Amino acid sequence: GAVVSQHPSWVICKSGTSVKIECRSLDFQATTMFWYRQFPKQSLMLMATSNEGSKATYEQGVEKDKFLINHASLTLSTLTVTSAHPEDSSFYICSAREGLAETYEQYFGPGTRLTVT
Amino acid sequence: DAKTTQPNSMESNEEEPVHLPCNHSTISGTDYIHWYRQLPSQGPEYVIHGLTSNVNNRMASLAIAEDRKSSTLILHRATLRDAAVYYCILSGSGTYKYIFGTGTRLKVLA
């Protein structure tokens, strides 16, 4: 099956600093990538959708200036959490989709655990 | 976005079949039904998906009601490794977004 990787798998940063998380599709080209956030014992919450070469579309309530998303190539998307605060500590998961037809599935990365101290 | 309703938790004995239900009464004609599962501290894993007809793959079977307002994920012989949170998700044409509900936490008893 299709493989999606994330880097780093975990990161600890100090409050006020920025952190970048990478999401790569390893064996397919992803026309669309998605970013999710998951708090402990909760479900995944979609943050944004990004198409290669276009600006990301953010879900309601997600601050676009705080969560910067770049999808510069068909295999790489990055999420930068700017001026991180302890409440941004969460499990961040990306997914990638190969095509636009409804039959294409989303394949998820293993997640990145962010802890802001 | 069409919503899904699943039981919060279910239990099964090892090597027994498991039927995980999902209600989606507001499904539209073009919505696909997807099932994923998530182990602790991991990203969701694709299980199966379908549109109208029942589907089988090496992991599971998906039974879709004739009116498409409900579906059932069938694990033919549960193993301890199948213990996870199972999510039933609808995606419609044009959006491709997945809106995750609360899912069903499956516990498999040895």
Side-chain angles (χ1 to χ4, degrees):
Chain A
V3 180
V4 175
S5 70
Q6 283 184 240
H7 178 80
S9 55
W10 60 270
V11 58
I12 302 172
C13 71
K14 292 189 175 180
S15 187
T17 63
S18 297
V19 62
K20 180 186 286 188
I21 302 170
E22 291 185 350
C23 176
R24 292 181 187 273
S25 56
L26 297 185
D27 51 3
F28 67 99
Q29 293 187 322
T31 56
T32 308
M33 287 183 166
F34 304 84
W35 287 95
Y36 297 82
R37 182 167 55 178
Q38 185 175 33
F39 293 107
K41 298 192 184 301
Q42 293 187 22
S43 187
L44 283 76
M45 185 190 79
L46 179 66
M47 299 176 68
T49 302
S50 75
N51 293 299
E52 184 261 341
S54 303
K55 287 186 178 179
T57 302
Y58 291 81
E59 294 298 303
Q60 193 171 7
V62 177
E63 300 174 60
K64 60 179 68 175
D65 294 331
K66 180 170 186 61
F67 298 100
L68 302 179
I69 292 171
N70 184 281
H71 191 167
S73 78
L74 284 172
T75 59
L76 173 64
S77 176
T78 59
L79 167 69
T80 301
V81 183
T82 63
S83 187
H85 290 286
E87 56 265 31
D88 298 323
S89 298
S90 188
F91 193 49
Y92 291 87
I93 306 169
C94 73
S95 70
R97 182 188 171 98
E98 184 174 9
L100 296 178
E102 275 304 320
T103 53
Y104 286 105
E105 292 300 304
Q106 285 189 31
Y107 293 97
F108 288 81
T112 296
R113 186 159 305 282
L114 169 64
T115 302
V116 184
T117 62
Chain B
D1 299 310
K3 292 185 178 179
T4 61
T5 305
Q6 298 176 253
N8 287 334
S9 63
M10 290 184 67
E11 281 188 2
S12 172
N13 293 318
E14 199 176 9
E15 299 192 5
E16 301 256 325
V18 182
H19 291 232
L20 297 167
C22 180
N23 287 320
H24 29 78
S25 58
T26 59
I27 191 171
S28 72
T30 54
D31 284 344
Y32 275 75
I33 302 160
H34 308 265
W35 282 83
Y36 284 77
R37 68 183 185 183
Q38 186 182 26
L39 296 170
S41 297
Q42 295 187 26
E45 175 189 26
Y46 167 77
V47 178
I48 201 166
H49 77 286
L51 182 61
T52 55
S53 304
N54 295 342
V55 184
N56 299 298
N57 67 20
R58 64 174 180 82
M59 287 182 71
S61 295
L62 175 60
I64 301 173
E66 201 168 324
D67 63 6
R68 298 207 330 124
K69 293 186 176 182
S70 66
S71 61
T72 302
L73 177 70
I74 303 165
L75 306 179
H76 296 287
R77 287 182 68 213
T79 69
L80 296 177
R81 291 182 298 175
D82 292 323
V85 178
Y86 286 79
Y87 294 100
C88 166
I89 304 161
L90 303 182
S91 73
S93 60
T95 65
Y96 320 117
K97 296 193 302 186
Y98 286 178
I99 304 300
F100 281 77
T102 54
T104 296
R105 183 173 299 277
L106 175 65
K107 185 176 181 180
V108 180
L109 306 174

